[in-house]
């Protein structure tokens, strides 16, 4: 599992996958979908899929897959090695959703919540598998939200597939358990190898951030110590989570982006108009300025 592209630029989401086995292009196949890192306030969320011929399902059971959350990191790594070693009949793909990409989606003006993002990611992975030539017939999905509605949604998009959406699918179907392993291993590696681009010129960021879950006292303590009053958190943080938002409200300076009407614009120039050259759009310049300022500011976040 090569995560170099994501480690080089973890501000963008990334898709990584195995070679498509020849066996999956001829024989009818099943596919499982699961995610890792949905709840944490820190780090990426990862969606994983595994697929193999229907004739290989007994072999899947013999490989000893289980829900990744019930396994140790060492056990997950060994099982992923088994998946990678079974490349003649089994394929996998992961989609790593960067923390700031998640937050940007959730803070859109038009409603776009985490469930919708999860659904769209799963749909994209199914379509990617079909486009790669896999002879897909059965799909098993660990539900996000109402299982019946989610299943109907997927069947409406993929009417030729036999789709099962159910809670605890990772404990019921070995192919979903395998997908769960891929997703969890990818997230563990992405978190462990995270590059803090905010670290420059000897400034350092503590890696003692706990489990990353909002209820973890160590995670809360880390978040509180990481706030920069103007630019907020490192990009490792999902700033749309309420835990992060509350800390920003308490510790960061208030910023108001008011929508000005035409009369106000005519009477009082926006401060950002002074950053824009003649003929440039001040709003576009404002977005560009703060994006670049956030990415390149040297800030000592503590150790």
């Amino acid at each position: 599992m090569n995560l170099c592209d994501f480690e080089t630029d973890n501000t963008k989401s990334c898709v990584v996958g195995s070679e498509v086995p020849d066996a999956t292009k001829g024989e009818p196949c099943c596919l499982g979908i699961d995610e890792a890192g949905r709840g944490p306030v820190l780090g990426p969320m990862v969606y994983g899929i595994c697929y193999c011929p229907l004739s290989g399902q007994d072999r899947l059971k013999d490989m000893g897959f289980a829900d990744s959350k019930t396994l140790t990191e060492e056990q997950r790594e060994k099982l992923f090695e088994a998946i990678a070693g079974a490349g003649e009949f089994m394929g996998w793909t992961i989609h790593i959703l960067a923390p700031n990409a998640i937050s940007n989606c959730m803070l859109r003006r038009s409603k776009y919540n985490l469930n919708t993002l999860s659904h769209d990611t799963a749909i994209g992975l199914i379509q990617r598998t079909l486009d790669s030539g896999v002879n897909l017939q059965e799909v098993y999905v660990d539900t996000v939200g109402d299982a019946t509605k989610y299943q109907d949604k997927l069947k409406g998009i993929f009417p030729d597939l036999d789709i099962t959406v159910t809670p605890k699918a990772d404990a019921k179907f070995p192919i979903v358990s395998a997908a769960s392993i891929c997703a969890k291993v990818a997230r563990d590696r992405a978190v462990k190898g995270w590059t803090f681009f905010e670290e420059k010129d000897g400034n350092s960021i503590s890696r003692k951030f706990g489990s990353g879950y909002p209820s973890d006292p160590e995670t809360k303590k880390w978040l509180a110590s990481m706030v920069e009053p103007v630019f907020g958190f490192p990009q490792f943080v999902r700033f749309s989570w309420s835990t992060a938002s509350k800390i920003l409200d308490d510790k960061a300076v208030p910023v108001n982006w008011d929508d000005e009407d035409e009369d106000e614009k005519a009477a009082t120039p926006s401060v950002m108009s002074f950053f824009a050259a003649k003929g440039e759009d001040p709003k576009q310049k404002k977005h560009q300025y703060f994006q670049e300022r956030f990415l390149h500011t040297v800030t000592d976040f503590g150790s």
Side-chain angles (χ1 to χ4, degrees):
M1 185 184 290
N2 187 344
L3 303 184
C4 286
D5 287 346
F6 183 72
E7 290 170 353
T8 301
D9 185 0
N10 56 34
T11 66
K12 299 177 181 177
S13 298
C14 180
V15 178
V16 178
S18 68
E19 295 290 332
V20 178
D22 289 338
T24 63
K25 296 180 180 180
E27 296 186 49
C29 293
C30 61
L31 177 147
I33 304 177
D34 200 8
E35 52 77 25
R38 178 181 171 84
V41 66
L42 304 180
M45 178 170 72
V46 181
Y47 256 79
I49 64 167
C50 268
Y51 53 91
C52 73
L54 293 172
S55 61
Q57 291 192 83
D58 288 339
R59 183 174 171 181
L60 279 181
K61 293 177 183 177
D62 293 338
M63 292 171 76
F65 292 117
D67 176 10
S68 66
K69 292 184 286 294
T70 68
L71 304 172
T72 65
E73 183 176 353
E74 183 179 3
Q75 289 172 323
R76 290 192 294 267
E77 286 285 348
K78 286 183 178 180
L79 283 170
F80 180 74
E81 287 179 12
I83 293 170
E88 79 283 358
F89 95 106
M90 191 177 197
W92 58 270
T93 307
I94 56 160
H95 188 160
I96 306 175
L97 297 161
N100 60 328
I102 295 170
S103 292
N104 287 339
C105 284
M106 294 179 66
L107 294 176
R108 289 181 183 178
R109 286 194 176 188
S110 56
K111 186 178 180 182
Y112 191 80
N113 59 26
L114 191 60
N115 281 3
T116 304
L117 175 61
S118 298
H119 291 179
D120 287 348
T121 304
I123 290 165
L125 286 169
I126 295 171
Q127 187 62 57
R128 187 184 185 92
T129 306
L130 291 169
D131 292 344
S132 70
V134 175
N135 184 10
L136 195 56
Q137 290 198 359
E138 298 179 6
V139 175
Y140 299 90
V141 186
D142 195 33
T143 193
V144 173
D146 184 274
T148 301
K149 291 180 180 178
Y150 189 12
Q151 183 169 293
D152 290 343
K153 180 179 182 178
L154 292 177
K155 285 184 174 180
I157 297 169
F158 303 106
D160 296 331
L161 300 180
D162 182 2
I163 298 175
T164 301
V165 178
T166 181
K168 305 295 183 183
D170 46 3
K172 298 174 183 177
F173 305 104
I175 195 65
V176 182
S177 302
S180 176
I181 297 293
C182 293
K184 183 61 176 169
V185 166
R187 176 175 155 82
D188 286 347
R189 292 185 184 182
V191 169
K192 187 176 292 186
W194 188 269
T195 299
F196 285 90
F197 294 107
E198 297 84 1
E199 289 184 317
K200 284 188 178 182
D201 299 332
N203 297 309
S204 64
I205 294 178
S206 171
R207 268 62 173 177
K208 295 179 180 179
F209 43 70
S211 66
Y213 281 89
S215 59
D216 185 340
E218 191 170 6
T219 298
K220 289 182 178 179
K221 181 179 178 181
W222 185 88
L223 284 168
S225 70
M226 288 298 106
V227 178
E228 202 286 326
V230 175
F231 298 104
F233 293 112
Q235 295 191 59
F236 189 53
V237 178
R238 302 179 192 177
F239 51 84
S240 59
W241 260 233
S242 61
T243 305
S245 297
K246 289 175 183 176
I247 293 173
L248 284 177
D249 289 342
D250 291 340
K251 292 182 173 289
V253 297
V255 178
N256 296 313
W257 300 109
D258 295 327
D259 290 331
E260 300 168 321
D261 60 32
E262 292 302 320
D263 291 337
E264 288 175 327
K265 286 181 181 178
T268 308
S270 165
V271 66
M272 291 312 302
S273 66
F274 296 103
F275 289 95
K278 186 175 181 180
E280 289 184 311
D281 180 359
K283 286 189 175 181
Q284 184 176 357
K285 197 67 177 176
K286 175 185 72 176
H287 174 77
Q288 179 184 348
Y289 171 78
F290 278 101
Q291 183 181 51
E292 293 177 354
R293 187 75 178 90
F294 180 81
L295 286 174
H296 299 297
T297 293
V298 178
T299 305
D300 184 359
F301 287 99
S303 58

